[in-house]
């Protein structure tokens, strides 16, 4: 028995078990939209886009976005059983070189002074509840460079987990807090007006 390809949907009722959760509701669940299969390398590249954006480092974002767009098109052709186009492959190789060049010539607005590791990114000053705080968003330069090199060289970047930073501190009311995440990104918050 073969079913015809018919769009289906479901009506879903959500009933919470706790009053602190979102209120009960009824909604329509549409069928999933077909999307291209992302290779691990493309998924890693998309995450790297978010890390660069989070850090305020803009220069490599456009070349990386172009490279990933071409990569997705190549992957789609291959998954459809078609051969890779030479023109696309040449364009892809040129985009890889442009991205690598952008990564090597990144302009770093700021650096964090955490001992033992080089974090680059952007400092911002914010006013939170009448207190001035300095927020640094950045990434471990060595780690992100290794991931981007692996991406360009076609190596599996999934093996790259950022080394732990042993001095991650809990929030202290008079100082601040530092968090280093497994993708190499960093969030540092410090009070700037100590009264």
């Amino acid at each position: 028995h073969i079913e015809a390809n018919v769009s289906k949907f479901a009506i879903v009722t959500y009933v919470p078990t706790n009053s602190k959760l979102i209120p009960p509701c009824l909604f329509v669940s549409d069928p999933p939209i077909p999307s291209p299969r992302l290779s691990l390398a493309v998924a890693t590249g998309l995450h790297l886009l978010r890390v660069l954006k989070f850090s305020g480092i803009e220069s490599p974002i456009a070349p990386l976005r172009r490279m990933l767009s071409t990569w997705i098109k190549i992957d789609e052709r291959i998954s459809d059983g078609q051969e890779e186009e030479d023109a696309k492959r040449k364009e892809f190789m040129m985009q890889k070189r442009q991205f690598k060049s952008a990564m090597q010539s990144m302009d770093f607005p700021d650096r964090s002074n955490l001992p033992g590791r080089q974090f680059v990114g952007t400092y911002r000053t914010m006013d939170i509840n009448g207190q001035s705080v300095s927020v640094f968003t950045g990434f471990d330069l060595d780690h992100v460079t290794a991931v981007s090199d692996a991406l360009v060289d076609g190596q599996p970047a999934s093996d790259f987990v950022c080394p732990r930073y042993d001095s991650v501190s809990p929030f202290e009311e008079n100082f601040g807090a530092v968090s280093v995440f497994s993708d190499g990104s960093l969030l540092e918050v410090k009070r700037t007006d100590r009264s």
Side-chain angles (χ1 to χ4, degrees):
H1 170 65
I2 298 175
E3 271 190 42
N5 188 7
V6 177
S7 294
K8 299 178 181 179
F9 66 92
I11 298 176
V12 179
T13 304
Y14 169 73
V15 181
T17 58
N18 186 323
S19 62
K20 294 181 180 179
L21 299 174
I22 62 172
C25 59
L26 182 71
F27 59 93
V28 176
S29 174
D30 290 326
I33 298 171
S35 62
R37 290 188 178 166
L38 296 180
S39 64
L40 180 59
V42 171
T44 300
L46 290 170
H47 186 79
L48 182 57
L49 267 175
R50 301 309 309 159
V51 169
L52 292 169
K53 192 81 169 158
F54 170 79
S55 302
I57 307 293
E58 298 288 328
S59 58
I61 289 177
L64 177 58
R65 191 175 284 136
R66 283 191 299 272
M67 182 182 87
L68 293 172
S69 174
T70 302
W71 203 332
I72 289 170
K73 289 173 188 168
I74 290 171
D75 284 353
E76 283 177 343
R77 286 186 62 83
I78 292 170
S79 71
D80 289 342
Q82 301 174 20
E83 287 190 28
E84 221 178 299
E85 297 173 10
D86 283 340
K88 274 286 180 221
R89 173 56 67 182
K90 287 178 184 173
E91 177 185 357
F92 182 54
M93 297 310 287
M94 181 189 67
Q95 289 168 342
K96 279 184 164 186
R97 286 190 298 275
Q98 290 171 344
F99 169 63
K100 189 166 189 162
S101 173
M103 285 297 290
Q104 291 169 342
S105 61
M106 277 188 287
D107 215 9
F108 305 121
D110 298 300
R111 295 177 187 272
S112 178
N113 58 356
L114 296 175
R117 303 256 292 276
Q118 186 177 15
F119 290 96
V120 295
T122 309
Y123 273 105
R124 298 168 185 88
T125 302
M126 303 170 70
D127 183 57
I128 300 175
N129 296 330
Q131 292 184 344
S132 180
V133 293
S134 173
V135 177
F136 179 81
T137 54
F139 58 82
D140 182 317
L141 182 59
D142 293 334
H143 175 72
V144 169
T145 300
V147 170
S148 68
D149 287 349
L151 194 62
V152 169
D153 297 339
Q155 299 171 3
S158 62
D159 298 338
F160 291 95
V161 174
C162 188
R164 281 197 65 206
Y165 184 74
D166 292 330
S167 298
V168 175
S169 65
F171 185 78
E172 299 171 23
E173 191 172 323
N174 293 327
F175 176 68
V178 176
S179 292
V180 179
F181 305 100
S182 62
D183 63 0
S185 56
L186 168 110
L187 174 66
E188 178 182 22
V189 180
K190 293 182 181 180
R191 281 184 57 184
T192 55
D193 63 340
R194 296 189 182 153
S195 41

